[in-house]
Amino acid sequence: CTVAHLNPSQIGSVCVGLAGAARPEISELINRIVSELVPGKVEVVGDNVIALQAAFGGGPGVIVIAGTGSIAYGRNREGQTARAGGWGFAISDEGSGHWIGRTAVAAAIGAWDEKPEQDLRLIEMLMKSWSLQTIEQVVPAANATPPPDFSALFPAVLSLADSGDRIARDVLIQAGTQLANLAGVLLLRLFPHAGAVPVAMSGGVFGSSALVRQIFYNSLCSEHPNAMLNP
C-alpha cells in the first residue's frame, strides 16, 4: 500500500497465494491477519493456484512447481482442476529440493556401502555441509529427529553434478523424471482425449538446473507427445 500510495481502506478484495494454504489452520490464520489490515474480501489459496493463473490466465494447462517441495497442478478446458504430488516431505514432494538432498544422501551412503575405500566427493560434501568429522556420523545426522534440512544440500548437489559427479547427476536425472511423471498424471486425468496441452515449469529446482529441465522435457514429451512445454 505504501509503494502504491493507497490507503488499505481503498482495497476491495485481496487474494493471497502461499504454500500450505490447503491446511485450514494456515488459511484461517492468514485470513484473520489480512482481514485486520483491509476491510474487503480476503481469499487465501495455495501457491499452486496463483502459479497456474500466472502461467495460463483463465485457460487450460498444467504447471509443475519444484522448489523446496513440489506439486503439479492443472485445469482443463471444462474448468476442472486436479493436483498430483505435494503431499509433504515424508511421503511425496518428488523431485523437489528436499527430495534431491535426501536422495543424494541415500545414494552416497549406498555407494559407500558398495566400495568403502572409494573417494566419494558427495560424501565429503555432506560431511562439510553438516560439519561432521567422519562418514559414520552421516547416518545418525540424516536420521535425526527433527530431520535435517535436506533442501539446503541442493546447491552442493547441483555444483557436483555440473562438475561431472556421476552420483549427483543421477540424482538430478531422477528428479527430472519424477517431475515429468507428476505432469503426466495430470495430463491423463484432465486431458485424456485432448490435443496439444500447454505445460509450464516454476520453482528454484527448474530455475537452477538445466539438467533437470532437459530430463523433464525429454521424459514428458516422449511419454506424452501432446504436451507443449513453455520453458
Side-chain angles (χ1 to χ4, degrees):
C1 288
T2 300
V3 172
H5 304 293
L6 288 174
N7 188 298
S9 63
Q10 297 175 265
I11 296 176
S13 61
V14 174
C15 178
V16 181
L18 76 164
R23 295 164 53 191
E25 65 272 22
I26 298 295
S27 62
E28 291 170 5
L29 173 63
I30 298 301
N31 195 308
R32 187 165 64 251
I33 292 173
V34 177
S35 294
E36 293 175 356
L37 303 174
V38 298
K41 174 186 175 183
V42 177
E43 182 179 11
V44 181
V45 299
D47 56 348
N48 56 304
V49 175
I50 59 171
L52 186 76
Q53 190 73 16
F56 309 115
V62 171
I63 189 163
V64 182
I65 307 170
T68 303
S70 69
I71 188 172
Y73 187 63
R75 178 175 55 230
N76 63 18
R77 290 168 180 82
E78 290 72 43
Q80 298 169 315
T81 60
R83 61 176 285 178
W87 303 114
F89 297 144
I91 59 173
S92 184
D93 285 5
E94 301 88 339
S96 67
H98 181 97
W99 184 96
I100 288 170
R102 188 187 63 207
T103 302
V105 174
I109 291 298
W112 181 56
D113 278 343
E114 294 176 5
K115 293 183 179 180
E117 70 281 359
Q118 68 179 315
D119 181 27
L120 291 172
R121 289 192 294 161
L122 193 53
I123 286 282
E124 293 174 0
M125 174 273 293
L126 292 174
M127 293 170 60
K128 182 178 180 180
S129 298
W130 288 349
S131 301
L132 305 178
Q133 303 303 315
T134 67
I135 293 178
E136 287 79 6
Q137 292 175 322
V138 171
V139 174
N143 289 288
T145 302
D149 181 8
F150 286 107
S151 64
L153 300 176
F154 172 62
V157 176
L158 184 63
S159 177
L160 284 175
D162 288 343
S163 68
D165 185 85
R166 177 186 60 82
I167 298 175
R169 283 183 61 85
D170 284 348
V171 170
L172 294 183
I173 289 170
Q174 291 179 56
T177 303
Q178 292 279 356
L179 293 167
N181 289 342
L182 291 179
V185 168
L186 292 189
L187 288 173
L188 293 175
R189 286 178 60 187
L190 291 173
F191 305 92
H193 308 296
V197 179
V199 178
M201 299 172 282
S202 179
V205 170
F206 282 126
S208 301
S209 176
L211 179 58
V212 172
R213 294 196 301 272
Q214 177 188 0
I215 296 300
F216 175 81
Y217 180 93
N218 293 343
S219 180
L220 182 62
C221 291
S222 66
E223 294 290 330
H224 303 275
N226 61 327
M228 289 184 58
L229 205 64
N230 180 351

